[in-house]
Amino acid sequence: MSTDISLKSINKLAIPALIAGIAEPLLSITDTAIIGNIDENATENLAAVGIVGAFISMLVWVFGQVRSAISSIISQYLGANKLDNIKTLPAQAIAIIVVGSVLVLLISYPFAAQIFKFYNASGNVLELCIVYFKIRIFGFPFSLLVFAIFGTFRGLQNTYYPMIIAIIGALLNIVLDFIFVYGIEGVIPAMNIEGAAYASVIAQITMAIISVILLLKKTAISLKLTMPFHHEIPRLLGMIANLFVRTLALNTALYFATAYATEYGAAYIAAYTIGVNIWLLGAFMIDGYSSAGNILSGKLLGAKDYNSLVKLSSKLFKYGIVTGSIIATVGFVFYDVIGQIFTKEADVLAQFNHVFWIVLLTQPISAITFIFDGMFKGMGKMKYLRNLLILSTGLVFIPTLLLFDYYNLKLVAIWIAFTLWILARGLPLVFKFRSDFLPLVKNN
């Protein structure tokens, strides 16, 4: 089966995936921007949203790896022209991940206070964290359902429907944020931070419903659960397990960053919250090309078309550099304006502007890392990704943070650690890919 890897073909997958990818961080960024502009206790509200957002993002990333695993297997079967052999797998995978997410909800809900004390939250910030979390966590199972269905669509080389679903969810979340947070006089009372949480949950439920409808109406994939388990379930669970451990390592880095920023004070964690949300937004924008790499690399590997696979990596490398550089340039042009979108607090803006330049400089580096990360996921090489992230977190991120924190650099220490961490994750992927596949091209 021939696979087109022209710029037009890549963009046909990448641009819808880019738009869909922005939806998840946009939910958090919308909450951050609207909550940060509440007149009363803005800094504490912003800090609480940042802390809870870090924890929920950790949960979504850890368990949402089912998307990459499903996409990898389906795309490889598609490349081998054996799609009929995989039709029962998505329903079984979705059932497993939804049951797991409900268990996480039931376990974490009663221990909200203990969880956020672990993040160094205290006083009113801790109380706000608990209130916000005990609402937002109910959207978690729906988020994972959406992730699993997105993985199925991606495996089928379709990023259009995930884009439509994501746009609807993001727009709904923005509208509901304004309505619930600020209220409508005489109709809906202002609910402040609770309103932002309700808006996110309703948006996630809506996205889940639309995802199910489109999957059933627009594909041959059934959500009817049948037994016995598909023979690929062990491989799927193995991929998820490796990605699970990998994402725990990733979120160890995020935990240390959030905990240290919280310990520095409310203005620091608020500034860090803005910075990390912008960084994640940039990462998810790059994710368009990362997703194209994920989708196409699995199909090319299944078809054993190594020549096209290497050409794909070269093209995506260039596109990633350009995209990351554009994001960084826009950030520098509007450097003094961006922070004010999220808050008017002078102390928070001072800390944010002090480190925002580092956030921007990481964008081209992150682009290359995320693109090759996506390709390795598409090829099912989860074990290598797991080991690399464990090593880069334990040997690069944490020691760097501790070293620069010792010199009292605070948020600068956190962002230097992030920059070196991204480099340590990306460079080995480029070298590993070239060493594995260039010889296969020469031998073909």
Side-chain angles (χ1 to χ4, degrees):
M1 181 182 292
S2 177
T3 301
D4 184 4
I5 58 168
S6 65
L7 176 60
K8 181 179 179 181
S9 178
I10 291 172
N11 280 334
K12 188 176 180 180
L13 293 171
I15 293 174
L18 183 154
I19 296 170
I22 292 173
E24 183 61 30
L26 193 60
L27 296 180
S28 296
I29 281 185
T30 302
D31 287 356
T32 301
I34 292 176
I35 290 298
N37 284 284
I38 294 175
D39 292 335
E40 187 177 351
N41 299 324
T43 300
E44 291 181 335
N45 280 303
L46 192 57
V49 168
I51 295 167
V52 175
F55 179 69
I56 290 181
S57 292
M58 180 272 289
L59 292 179
V60 171
W61 288 342
V62 167
F63 292 92
Q65 298 303 324
V66 67
R67 177 178 64 179
S68 295
I70 291 176
S71 175
S72 174
I73 292 175
I74 292 177
S75 62
Q76 288 176 36
Y77 270 75
L78 182 66
N81 202 24
K82 296 179 179 179
L83 193 58
D84 285 343
N85 296 346
I86 203 75
K87 285 184 177 179
T88 61
L89 180 69
Q92 295 173 353
I94 290 169
I96 291 169
I97 200 66
V98 170
V99 169
S101 67
V102 172
L103 290 175
V104 171
L105 188 159
L106 295 174
I107 292 169
S108 62
Y109 186 90
F111 297 101
Q114 290 83 353
I115 290 169
F116 298 113
K117 284 179 182 177
F118 188 62
Y119 279 82
N120 292 328
S122 60
N124 193 40
V125 171
L126 176 60
E127 293 302 316
L128 289 169
C129 283
I130 295 169
V131 168
Y132 185 64
F133 172 76
K134 285 195 170 183
I135 299 169
R136 269 213 64 180
I137 190 60
F138 282 96
F140 177 59
F142 297 99
S143 287
L144 291 193
L145 173 60
V146 170
F147 267 55
I149 292 176
F150 279 14
T152 304
F153 276 122
R154 285 186 177 191
L156 296 171
Q157 317 291 288
N158 185 325
T159 56
Y160 176 76
Y161 290 128
M163 177 189 71
I164 297 300
I165 296 162
I167 289 173
I168 293 171
L171 291 176
L172 179 62
N173 185 73
I174 292 170
V175 172
L176 293 179
D177 256 339
F178 278 102
I179 293 172
F180 292 161
V181 173
Y182 299 131
I184 299 175
E185 190 172 350
V187 181
I188 298 174
M191 290 184 277
N192 298 323
I193 196 170
E194 293 177 69
Y198 283 121
S200 294
V201 171
I202 292 172
Q204 288 163 330
I205 292 172
T206 303
M207 290 170 68
I209 293 170
I210 298 172
S211 296
V212 169
I213 293 171
L214 286 177
L215 185 70
L216 294 176
K217 295 288 186 181
K218 301 296 183 179
T219 76
I221 301 294
S222 171
L223 290 180
K224 182 180 179 181
L225 191 61
T226 58
M227 292 295 165
F229 280 120
H230 194 281
H231 70 272
E232 286 284 11
I233 283 290
R235 182 159 77 107
L236 176 78
L237 293 178
M239 288 183 181
I240 294 173
N242 282 324
L243 290 171
F244 181 94
V245 174
R246 174 183 182 270
T247 311
L248 286 178
L250 184 153
N251 282 283
T252 297
L254 291 175
Y255 161 73
F256 271 89
T258 304
Y260 271 68
T262 304
E263 189 175 341
Y264 298 146
Y268 288 92
I269 181 58
Y272 167 77
T273 298
I274 297 170
V276 80
N277 274 295
I278 292 173
W279 179 65
L280 289 172
L281 179 63
F284 277 88
M285 290 175 71
I286 297 297
D287 190 57
Y289 286 114
S290 174
S291 296
N294 179 292
I295 293 164
L296 293 171
S297 63
K299 185 179 179 183
L300 291 170
L301 185 67
K304 298 183 180 180
D305 187 355
Y306 305 122
N307 186 51
S308 295
L309 187 60
V310 171
K311 287 181 180 178
L312 174 69
S313 72
S314 299
K315 289 184 177 183
L316 290 177
F317 186 95
K318 295 173 185 176
Y319 302 156
I321 288 288
V322 171
T323 305
S325 298
I326 290 172
I327 294 170
T329 301
V330 171
F332 278 115
V333 170
F334 297 99
Y335 197 95
D336 295 325
V337 177
I338 291 173
Q340 296 178 37
I341 296 172
F342 299 94
T343 183
K344 300 298 186 292
E345 298 285 333
D347 290 347
V348 177
L349 285 172
Q351 295 303 329
F352 171 73
N353 288 331
H354 185 57
V355 297
F356 187 38
W357 62 275
I358 309 178
V359 179
L360 296 175
L361 288 180
T362 63
Q363 293 302 320
I365 303 169
S366 297
I368 300 306
T369 299
F370 296 145
I371 282 172
F372 276 84
D373 188 272
M375 291 189 68
F376 272 69
K377 285 179 182 176
M379 295 183 293
K381 297 183 179 296
M382 315 307 190
K383 185 177 179 180
Y384 183 79
L385 292 173
R386 178 199 69 190
N387 293 339
L388 180 59
L389 194 52
I390 291 172
L391 290 173
S392 59
T393 299
L395 300 181
V396 177
F397 182 87
I398 293 175
T400 302
L401 176 60
L402 295 177
L403 174 64
F404 287 100
D405 175 72
Y406 176 79
Y407 289 104
N408 201 34
L409 294 182
K410 296 184 177 178
L411 292 186
V412 173
I414 291 174
W415 286 107
I416 289 175
F418 270 133
T419 303
L420 296 181
W421 180 64
I422 288 292
L423 275 170
R425 289 173 53 192
L427 289 178
L429 291 178
V430 176
F431 294 137
K432 173 70 173 172
F433 180 88
R434 293 180 68 84
S435 66
D436 282 357
F437 291 104
L438 283 181
L440 294 176
V441 171
K442 292 175 182 177
N443 291 334
N444 268 348

